[in-house]
Amino acid sequence: VEILGSGCTKCKTTESHVRDAISQLGIEAEVVNVSKLEEILQYPIMMTPAVVVNGEVKISGRVPTVEQVKSYFQ
């Protein structure tokens, strides 16, 4: 799971929600922060934060809820 963003408050909140969802589901997943612009630009997004699961952009431009993140894994 990749969290795309500069490390702003919204990005940190997104990471927290992703980690909470992973914990609640009892699954194992590596969470990686991607903050380098050249790496972020490799994805088809217009705004951050964004969440990428297995190479697929699941959400961008807003902070997902924990429930939304959980749906990405089910």
Side-chain angles (χ1 to χ4, degrees):
V1 179
E2 296 171 288
I3 310 296
L4 311 179
S6 64
C8 65
T9 302
K10 289 182 180 181
C11 298
K12 291 176 183 177
T13 302
T14 297
E15 179 182 0
S16 175
H17 290 183
V18 168
R19 291 187 183 279
D20 287 348
I22 290 169
S23 176
Q24 288 177 22
L25 291 172
I27 59 174
E28 289 191 30
E30 181 181 7
V31 178
V32 177
N33 288 303
V34 178
S35 59
K36 291 184 180 180
L37 184 58
E38 58 272 7
E39 292 177 25
I40 292 172
L41 291 175
Q42 294 178 8
Y43 293 94
I45 64 165
M46 297 300 289
M47 297 177 66
T48 61
V51 177
V52 179
V53 178
N54 294 327
E56 183 180 338
V57 176
K58 295 295 185 176
I59 197 165
S60 70
R62 62 185 177 88
V63 177
T65 65
V66 173
E67 291 303 315
Q68 287 173 324
V69 175
K70 287 167 71 172
S71 73
Y72 306 156
F73 298 105
Q74 297 174 333

